[in-house]
Amino acid sequence: RGPALQNPAHTTATRPPAMPKLVLTYFPVRAKAEALRMILDYGKVEYEFVVTGGEAYGKAKAEGAFPFDQVPVLDVDGERLAQSGALARYCAKLAGLYPSDPLAALRTDEIFEMGQEMSGLNPIVNVFTGEVFEAKKAEYLGGFPKKAQALAKRLGEKKFFCGDEVTYGDFSVYHVFDLVLLLDDKALADFPTITAWMGRVAELPGVKEYLQKRARCVGVGTAPRME
């Protein structure tokens, strides 16, 4: 049984009785698989993480190994599935992080999708360099305060975006703010409630351990890579 979700509907999220064998495949970057891994680690859901890229990825893609020719992909008992949002919701259900009540589900979906909407910084941190990086960074940070303010308003004085307990939407937005701080470590200076919320997420069991062991983003803007 997963954590109770505190909301007006008093919805309880439940984990399935039996867990499938999961294999998550993605590039060696901090991007679309990040929320998935945080969700699974928080929920103590066992999975194997496989890194792909370079010639191996190109060869596998040419052979039709990836649905829709992209990653991340998740193998569920041998069935390969794609699309990061769909995978996140599935993982959230396994982890007990997805409400059964439709309105409560809508609330956390809203937060998750806001994180998806703001994920244009993934290539800024992980791919772009030189003048292109500087231009994309300036453009992204220019529009960031308005979106951060909207999220701060949604958060209010709550512990997490949907109440007293974390839901999968929190991890989507955490990833975004985490990357933003790599571009500008003062980007959240005017949003103390967001900073406090990030601290709570980072201390969650399973999440804390994942954040400590994951590779670091280095060379952002010059020679981006994971170490």
Side-chain angles (χ1 to χ4, degrees), residues 57-133:
Y57 171 72
K59 183 175 183 293
K61 181 178 177 180
E63 294 172 349
F66 304 112
F68 315 114
D69 290 334
Q70 60 189 15
V71 289
V73 294
L74 184 68
D75 295 321
V76 182
D77 286 337
E79 179 183 0
R80 178 157 287 187
L81 298 151
Q83 297 298 330
S84 59
L87 300 183
R89 283 181 283 278
Y90 175 74
C91 291
K93 291 169 186 177
L94 295 183
L97 289 170
Y98 196 82
S100 58
D101 174 74
L103 181 56
L106 174 60
R107 292 191 183 104
T108 188
D109 285 343
E110 175 194 59
I111 300 304
F112 178 86
E113 293 299 334
M114 189 59 183
Q116 294 281 78
E117 182 179 314
M118 297 175 71
S119 66
L121 86 168
N122 284 336
I124 300 174
V125 170
N126 293 289
V127 179
F128 298 141
T129 61
E131 293 181 0
V132 173
F133 167 78

Side-chain angles (χ1 to χ4, degrees), residues 24 26-27 29-42 47 49 171 174-175 178 201-202 204-216 226:
L24 177 63
Y26 195 54
F27 300 130
V29 297
R30 194 179 295 176
K32 289 188 176 182
E34 200 67 12
L36 303 179
R37 300 192 70 183
M38 293 174 73
I39 290 165
L40 292 170
D41 279 25
Y42 173 75
Y47 67 100
F49 183 65
F171 297 117
Y174 180 93
H175 163 64
D178 189 43
V201 173
L204 289 169
V207 175
K208 180 178 181 178
E209 291 75 14
Y210 171 70
L211 295 177
Q212 289 174 343
K213 71 182 182 183
R214 68 179 179 177
R216 297 180 303 116
M226 305 296 292

